[in-house]
Amino acid sequence: MIGSLIRAATLFLIFWGSNVIAMEVLEFKTPEDQLRYRILTEELRCPKCQNQNLEDSNAGIAVDLRNQIYRMVNDGQSNEQIVDYMVARYGEFVLYRPVHDQSTAILWYGPFALLIIGALVFVIVVIKNKRQTDRGA
Amino acid sequence: MKKLLFFIPFIAFVALGAVFYQQLGKDTEYMPSALVGQQIPDFKLVDMETDAVVNNSAMPNEPYLLNFWATWCPSCSAEHAYLGELAEQGVNIVGVDYKDETPAAKRWLAERGNPYSLVLLDEMGHFGVDMGITGAPETFVVSATGEILYRHQGVVDEAVWKTLKGYMQ
């Protein structure tokens, strides 16, 4: 019993240790920069493996772009500058949070339009039913 | 009128079906290039042959193909022979050796033939990022004035060349 526990603990330590080693070690000037880097790599999409963000992806290009973002963050460039840099090269496609413009209007406002239509239908049906029951009574 | 209301789910179903049907068979990996219609970004890269640093002025003064390749890339190996055929037909192809080791790249061209009028070394991949590439091979059609007209991701073969050719005029 104790033997198997020790074995499990050892295995855990081995795997945990290897994970720590596999992590990239990046040094930032300030904790804010580190947070900015994390948010940017989470919100930018990997152009190669399209259902992953830059942070999750291990594609060669994602690694390059992460390094580029790291450099730009450390250079003191603003989030806006970094996002513009990416959009200029890979298009608005790389934004996981699409911009508000004509081509994305349905995406942003469609659900609200549907909600309003649904609410209107609901109200009309309720009023009609009420009238009918009033008449019946 | 009331009966028509019952058909709303059916109509919605048909509409959605039509939308999804249109998407069938489309290449989900396809991504339009953000650079089409723009000039080749400014670069300073080493010319493989002369070892000299060159910039945009080294590019051909006629329409050409800009081909990103590397010795580590299996698809580049697959398209190499066809690029050779195109070069023989007189198509001007500029190669960018993307994130590669130069000695290996030189060996590759010596062994398989060199279809490129100019080979630029992009060891760090910075020019690749400026061109918005996501891997290799990728091939751009560039006009005589340096405007990017078209981008193709993946192997160039006869079918792809038909499309590229249309942009070369």
Side-chain angles (χ1 to χ4, degrees):
Chain A
M1 176 65 196
I2 290 173
S4 66
L5 260 181
I6 291 175
R7 206 158 35 169
T10 318
L11 274 178
F12 171 78
L13 276 179
I14 289 171
F15 285 114
W16 182 72
S18 62
N19 267 341
V20 170
I21 293 164
M23 261 166 53
E24 289 170 81
V25 183
L26 293 175
E27 284 184 18
F28 292 89
K29 286 175 189 159
T30 63
E32 287 80 43
D33 276 356
Q34 184 160 17
L35 187 66
R36 279 207 306 137
Y37 172 81
R38 228 192 55 216
I39 292 172
L40 282 166
T41 51
E42 271 172 13
E43 286 209 346
L44 291 167
R45 187 169 169 187
C46 168
K48 183 78 187 173
C49 26
Q50 308 186 345
N51 290 323
Q52 283 184 309
N53 56 24
L54 283 181
E55 190 190 29
D56 287 336
S57 173
N58 277 322
I61 192 69
V63 176
D64 285 1
L65 293 176
R66 273 205 301 268
N67 289 337
Q68 179 66 27
I69 292 172
Y70 172 69
R71 270 197 300 274
M72 292 175 88
V73 165
N74 262 0
D75 278 356
Q77 303 210 33
S78 71
N79 290 1
E80 205 181 2
Q81 278 173 312
I82 297 173
V83 168
D84 285 349
Y85 174 93
M86 293 286 296
V87 170
R89 283 156 184 78
Y90 292 95
E92 269 159 21
F93 172 90
V94 295
L95 305 175
Y96 257 132
R97 193 194 296 264
V99 289
H100 294 256
D101 69 12
Q102 222 177 344
S103 65
T104 57
I106 291 183
L107 193 64
W108 280 103
Y109 307 112
F112 295 108
L114 286 177
L115 189 69
I116 291 168
I117 292 171
L120 280 177
V121 169
F122 179 75
V123 168
I124 290 169
V125 167
V126 165
I127 290 174
K128 268 195 175 167
N129 278 353
K130 195 158 187 301
R131 269 193 202 151
Q132 261 171 7
T133 44
D134 282 353
R135 228 177 287 151
Chain B
M1 184 60 206
K2 201 96 200 231
K3 266 188 190 160
L4 237 135
L5 286 179
F6 288 113
F7 281 100
I8 287 179
F10 179 71
I11 292 165
F13 168 78
V14 170
L16 270 181
V19 169
F20 289 146
Y21 186 78
Q22 277 194 329
Q23 301 297 319
L24 276 184
K26 272 196 185 167
D27 181 7
T28 52
E29 297 276 304
Y30 174 75
M31 200 178 81
S33 169
L35 281 111
V36 166
Q38 292 186 32
Q39 291 287 312
I40 293 270
D42 289 340
F43 66 83
K44 278 202 179 89
L45 293 170
V46 173
D47 176 348
M48 181 188 270
E49 208 172 324
T50 62
D51 255 348
V53 177
V54 297
N55 60 19
N56 301 53
S57 64
M59 292 310 218
N61 292 320
E62 57 176 335
Y64 60 96
L65 297 180
L66 184 63
N67 174 249
F68 282 81
W69 64 283
T71 56
W72 47 259
C73 139
S75 308
C76 302
S77 180
E79 73 173 5
H80 195 85
Y82 192 69
L83 291 182
E85 276 178 43
L86 289 181
E88 261 175 43
Q89 290 170 32
V91 179
N92 197 333
I93 310 173
V94 172
V96 179
D97 187 26
Y98 175 66
K99 296 184 73 176
D100 204 359
E101 282 165 18
T102 310
K106 281 184 172 162
R107 220 175 308 130
W108 159 295
L109 291 181
E111 279 166 15
R112 302 167 183 236
N114 183 354
Y116 305 112
S117 64
L118 170 70
V119 179
L120 303 168
L121 304 176
D122 186 22
E123 266 176 285
M124 301 300 293
H126 291 323
F127 183 53
V129 169
D130 281 343
M131 288 291 291
I133 77 164
T134 63
E138 284 198 22
T139 305
F140 294 82
V141 180
V142 185
S143 79
T145 54
E147 186 189 340
I148 298 163
L149 302 175
Y150 186 75
R151 185 262 293 269
H152 172 74
Q153 295 181 300
V155 173
V156 172
D157 55 21
E158 218 171 322
V160 173
W161 169 239
K162 275 188 190 141
T163 313
L164 299 185
K165 203 175 175 180
Y167 289 91
M168 292 285 277
Q169 316 303 327

